Amino acid sequence: MTGYGWGDLPAEVRDAVEAECGPIQHAVSLPGGLTGGTALSLGTPHGPVFLKALPADSPSAPLYRRERLVGAVLPEGVPAPRMLWSGHTAGWITLMFEHLDTRREVDLGPASPDLGDVMDIVRVLGETLTPNPGAEVPSASDNVQFLMRRRSGGPEGGALSGRLRKSFGG
């Protein structure tokens, strides 16, 4: 659901990103995502980075705000890309992460063979991140209902919803 390319971002946002990582040598929009914001692989003088950005008044902005809080306190050893920088410029929330070279998207569809592995990772993360590593960081379960509705297109979330409820004891 990527909605914006590098050139679509306000100049102030692009300037803030370049002030942090140097001149952008190339930008590639990445497919997928859940928020309608931008998802970009940016080539910089120091190597590639992953950039997410969306307007601060977007319905998905609370997810980006939570992700910024989490990124700031995520312990070493958690299997996740590190947040390198975040900003709130010209009415946009911007998050920059280490770049991962992915081969394919994980399928979260109802009959996906990926669901077992995804649920194993969710369980390991729950164990690794309990107790919550930051007092200001909301629980991961705060995002689960949003993600289930978004992925399934309905209020209850389908097969993924049932597996998540089982994993979270609901």
Side-chain angles (χ1 to χ4, degrees):
M1 280 195 186
T2 299
Y4 306 94
W6 175 248
D8 297 320
L9 299 176
E12 297 94 332
V13 172
R14 294 191 313 266
D15 291 346
V17 168
E18 289 186 317
E20 187 61 31
C21 66
I24 301 305
Q25 299 164 340
H26 64 273
V28 178
S29 290
L30 301 173
L34 298 171
T35 65
T38 190
L40 298 167
S41 173
L42 300 177
T44 78
H46 309 289
V49 296
F50 173 67
L51 185 77
K52 295 172 65 168
L54 85 167
D57 62 357
S58 165
S60 296
L63 292 176
Y64 277 45
R65 289 183 189 101
R66 288 181 191 136
E67 191 168 0
R68 179 176 34 203
L69 291 171
V70 170
V73 299
L74 199 61
E76 290 293 325
V78 172
R82 297 284 156 236
M83 186 172 68
L84 303 172
W85 174 81
S86 67
H88 191 150
T89 306
W92 283 67
I93 300 170
T94 310
L95 307 172
M96 183 187 304
F97 296 90
E98 294 174 332
H99 187 275
L100 296 180
D101 184 23
T102 58
R103 301 287 181 239
R104 68 176 183 84
E105 252 186 70
V106 173
D107 178 5
L108 298 178
S112 169
D114 293 337
L115 288 180
D117 291 338
V118 169
M119 295 313 300
D120 287 344
I121 290 170
V122 169
R123 181 186 49 74
V124 168
L125 289 173
E127 292 167 359
T128 306
L129 298 173
T130 302
N132 192 335
E136 300 298 318
V137 177
S139 168
S141 63
D142 289 355
N143 292 340
V144 170
Q145 287 298 323
F146 170 84
L147 295 171
M148 289 187 303
R149 284 191 306 272
R150 191 64 176 240
R151 195 46 100 163
S152 72
E156 295 302 317
L160 180 58
S161 173
R163 292 192 73 174
L164 286 169
R165 275 196 296 273
K166 184 176 177 185
S167 293
F168 285 104

